[in-house]
Amino acid sequence: MFALVDCNNFYVSCERVFEPKLKYSPVVVLSNNDGCIIARSNEAKALGIKMGEPVFKIKHIIEKNNITVFSTNFALYGDFSNRVMSILTSLVSDIEIYSIDEAFLDFSIWEEKEYHEQAMYIRKIIKQRTGIPVSIGISTTKTLAKVANHVAKKSNQLGGVFILNDHTMIKKILKRFPVEKIWGIGKRSREFLNYYGIKTAFQLQKMDKTWIKEHLTIKGLQTVQ
């Protein structure tokens, strides 16, 4: 079993640690030259602000909605990342740091009945020690753990943790999971798959494996498997 720990809106969350009054306010973080949006709070996302959007195009939205804007501070984000990863390393022996705000954990050291409790404990410790909220998705493969993490982030009822290890539930979620949100499926692959009517993860999963290998290479086949 793999658990994917992903910091929520990481750059924004780092800034909010020092500006707690912004917890429920729309916040964005800009690129190095302050030209584009590279991070958004959930409130900013709800206003329709897209990742990578040039700031000058949405200046009216920023002003109208009193959106707080931060210039990027990679030294700060790197420091918070090191703290989060250090905590994870102290809690779980087998950890794979995937990016500045994501890490895979080996959850096989615990029994199935302990998964949720351990994940909630990890969330609690990280929040207490760093102020950074995280979501945790747990499943039998890293790709499905990514899917589970996406579900954990989107639902307020789950408390930031979602376990995806039931075949019926996996099928149900994949049927409504957009193909472009699958780990490893980029924009070009999405456009290609949509052309052939493949719009969900479930539809991709059911495609002929030879066809997948031919059009998405062996890496695409591994993702599907």
Side-chain angles (χ1 to χ4, degrees):
M1 294 296 291
F2 297 95
L4 176 64
V5 179
D6 188 4
C7 300
N8 298 343
N9 306 321
F10 183 51
Y11 296 170
V12 169
S13 293
C14 291
E15 300 290 354
R16 279 175 165 172
V17 170
F18 299 100
E19 297 278 359
K21 67 178 184 294
L22 297 176
K23 184 176 181 180
Y24 299 109
S25 300
V27 179
V28 296
V29 176
L30 307 183
S31 55
N32 274 331
N33 60 357
D34 285 353
C36 299
I37 305 292
I38 61 169
R40 307 156 295 160
S41 66
N42 289 336
E43 296 79 10
K45 293 175 185 177
L47 293 172
I49 296 177
K50 297 180 173 56
M51 186 71 84
E53 192 138 41
V55 177
F56 75 89
K57 285 189 175 182
I58 58 169
K59 191 175 180 180
H60 62 291
I61 298 177
I62 291 174
E63 294 174 350
K64 179 181 177 181
N65 296 279
N66 197 28
I67 298 174
T68 301
V69 179
F70 287 98
S71 295
T72 189
N73 186 344
F74 287 120
L76 175 69
Y77 311 149
D79 181 61
F80 271 106
S81 176
N82 290 336
R83 293 189 206 179
V84 170
M85 300 309 167
S86 178
I87 293 169
L88 292 176
T89 302
S90 71
L91 296 173
V92 182
S93 57
D94 192 349
I95 171 176
E96 177 189 341
I97 298 174
Y98 177 65
S99 69
I100 192 172
D101 61 347
E102 295 175 282
F104 288 101
L105 311 180
D106 181 4
F107 254 45
S108 301
I109 58 175
W110 291 300
E111 295 182 18
E112 184 175 349
K113 62 183 180 181
E114 298 177 290
Y115 294 160
H116 189 267
E117 179 184 355
Q118 292 297 334
M120 293 299 290
Y121 177 72
I122 289 171
R123 288 189 79 244
K124 177 184 176 182
I125 291 298
I126 292 176
K127 189 70 166 65
Q128 283 180 346
R129 296 183 184 176
T130 69
I132 303 296
V134 303
S135 295
I136 302 178
I138 305 168
S139 195
T140 53
T141 71
K142 292 178 182 177
T143 305
L144 283 175
K146 277 266 193 180
V147 174
N149 189 280
H150 181 84
V151 175
K153 280 183 183 292
K154 295 296 181 182
S155 175
N156 294 326
Q157 286 74 44
L158 294 173
V161 173
F162 184 62
I163 301 170
L164 187 58
N165 62 346
D166 175 79
H167 288 293
T168 301
M169 180 61 70
I170 290 173
K171 182 177 179 180
K172 179 181 178 181
I173 288 175
L174 294 186
K175 279 188 173 183
R176 62 174 188 259
F177 198 79
V179 71
E180 65 268 20
K181 293 190 180 297
I182 300 172
W183 185 28
I185 300 295
K187 181 181 178 182
R188 184 175 296 180
S189 295
R190 180 206 70 196
E191 292 173 348
F192 172 80
L193 292 170
N194 285 176
Y195 176 79
Y196 283 94
I198 304 168
K199 296 185 177 181
T200 69
F202 183 76
Q203 289 174 319
L204 179 60
Q205 185 187 51
K206 293 302 178 183
M207 291 298 293
D208 178 75
K209 302 303 183 285
T210 303
W211 186 91
I212 292 171
K213 184 178 179 181
E214 178 183 351
H215 295 286
L216 298 181
T217 73
I218 188 67
K219 186 176 181 180
L221 179 59
Q222 290 171 340
T223 295
V224 173
Q225 290 175 332

